[in-house]
Amino acid sequence: MPKLLVVGAVNVDLVVETDRLPGPGETVVGPTVTRHGGGKGANAAVAAARAGAEVRYCGAVGSDDMGAAALAELQDEGVDVTEVGVLDGVATGMALIVVDPFGENQIAVGAGANAALDATAVGAAVERAASWAGCVLVSTEIPADAVAAAVTAAAARGIRCVVNPAPVLPSTIDLMSSAPVLTPNESELRDLYGLIADGRDAPEMAAADRAVAVASRTGASVLVTLGAEGVLIADPAGDTVTLPAGHVDQVVDTTGAGDTFNGVFAAALADGSSVVDAAKRGGAAASLSVAAVGARTGMPTGADIDHAVRGA
Ligand code: RIB
């Protein structure tokens, strides 16, 4: 069984489906609001657990009802929450999400306890994971020092590390020497390229060239999630390949598709898969995940992913 430590944010998501996304200063009204588990770290942890991995999640919630519910949801999915801090005096993170009929979304996050995640605790969690985890997945909706603690501890212990740079923190440049596998989307790739190019813009540059430039800097693969266009993989030697996205009958909600990719991809790496094979599993899982409202609702099982990968 693949063994994975996930470090990142956990939120409660409040989701409103509307006819269209609001513009600046505009109010849009949908018929209902639904509550879902969220946060890029916790979502990826659930995706990996559903795919069949043994997953421990490291993050922080407030000592409030929302935090207790968030942890209960993770435990129901089989995720080990022993590395989660329950913090007094701070609210559990919350995301306000609007979804349009094409599955596109707008998200605003109140970080709450995620912003108080302690870097020392994160470093210690990665140290403890060294004896069992095949991979550490880190997403960046948490303090920069907590991200750095996870990445540097994983590198020091020789554990494979995947960083989902969502959002791209300026300090990511300092982590590149630890050779994390980076998994940006296209706009995050632009931000990563801006970091290594000292902010010099290259608007005409193709995504593949930017990804190769970043991979040359880290010395590890860069996987660019392109939504319906699939996943672009660049390696430090300059080779690139694009894997097509899986077939989707109807896109209902793309929230959490990237988290699904990351969780399933990192779990497959932890299991010894090659980067390309792991990306095929992550991509298939992400395509399946967009068929239902809520970041985690449509996340597939390992059997669903096997079936989709075989049929691709
Ligand atoms: O990637 C989707 C997630 O981003 C949501 O679940 C929301 O909580 C935000 O963190």
Side-chain angles (χ1 to χ4, degrees), residues 17-201:
E17 293 170 78
T18 60
D19 287 342
R20 59 191 175 77
L21 301 179
E26 190 184 10
T27 300
V28 293
V29 177
T32 57
V33 58
T34 51
R35 182 174 148 178
H36 299 266
K40 295 188 199 311
N43 291 345
V46 169
R50 270 194 213 169
E54 183 180 326
V55 185
R56 191 176 292 173
Y57 166 67
C58 175
V61 295
S63 56
D64 50 22
D65 291 348
M66 297 282 193
L71 293 188
E73 280 169 12
L74 289 171
Q75 286 175 303
D76 286 349
E77 297 281 355
V79 174
D80 177 336
V81 296
T82 51
E83 299 286 7
V84 177
V86 179
L87 311 180
D88 290 331
V90 59
T92 297
M94 184 170 284
L96 307 178
I97 302 180
V98 184
V99 180
D100 78 8
F102 307 102
E104 231 4 285
N105 63 39
Q106 268 182 358
I107 305 179
V109 175
N114 298 304
L117 180 58
D118 179 54
T120 307
V122 169
V126 176
E127 288 289 327
R128 281 187 285 273
S131 61
W132 61 270
C135 184
V136 175
L137 168 63
V138 186
S139 57
T140 55
E141 291 177 314
I142 54 175
D145 62 351
V147 173
V151 175
T152 53
R157 289 307 206 121
I159 317 173
R160 196 153 205 192
C161 184
V162 176
V163 175
N164 175 27
V168 173
L169 307 173
S171 55
T172 308
I173 187 84
D174 304 324
L175 304 177
M176 289 189 178
S177 57
S178 295
V181 173
L182 291 166
T183 58
N185 64 21
E186 233 178 325
S187 77
E188 291 153 0
L189 175 66
R190 242 173 264 125
D191 292 344
L192 288 172
Y193 181 78
L195 290 180
I196 64 170
D198 271 339
R200 283 190 307 278
D201 196 18

Side-chain angles (χ1 to χ4, degrees), residues 202-306:
E204 74 295 340
M205 198 171 188
D209 295 331
R210 288 180 205 269
V212 166
V214 175
S216 315
R217 178 66 175 257
T218 58
S221 301
V222 172
L223 291 93
V224 188
T225 52
L226 302 170
E229 306 305 316
V231 182
L232 165 70
I233 306 173
D235 72 26
D239 296 324
T240 61
V241 62
T242 300
L243 305 177
H247 172 74
V248 181
D249 283 333
Q250 198 196 351
V251 178
V252 176
D253 183 2
T254 55
T255 309
D259 310 333
T260 305
F261 174 84
N262 277 282
V264 174
F265 169 69
L269 281 189
D271 207 20
S273 295
S274 69
V275 167
V276 170
D277 286 347
K280 283 180 184 163
R281 291 190 72 73
S287 295
L288 291 167
S289 75
V290 301
V293 172
R296 302 178 192 167
T297 317
M299 286 176 180
T301 64
D304 295 333
I305 300 167
D306 290 343

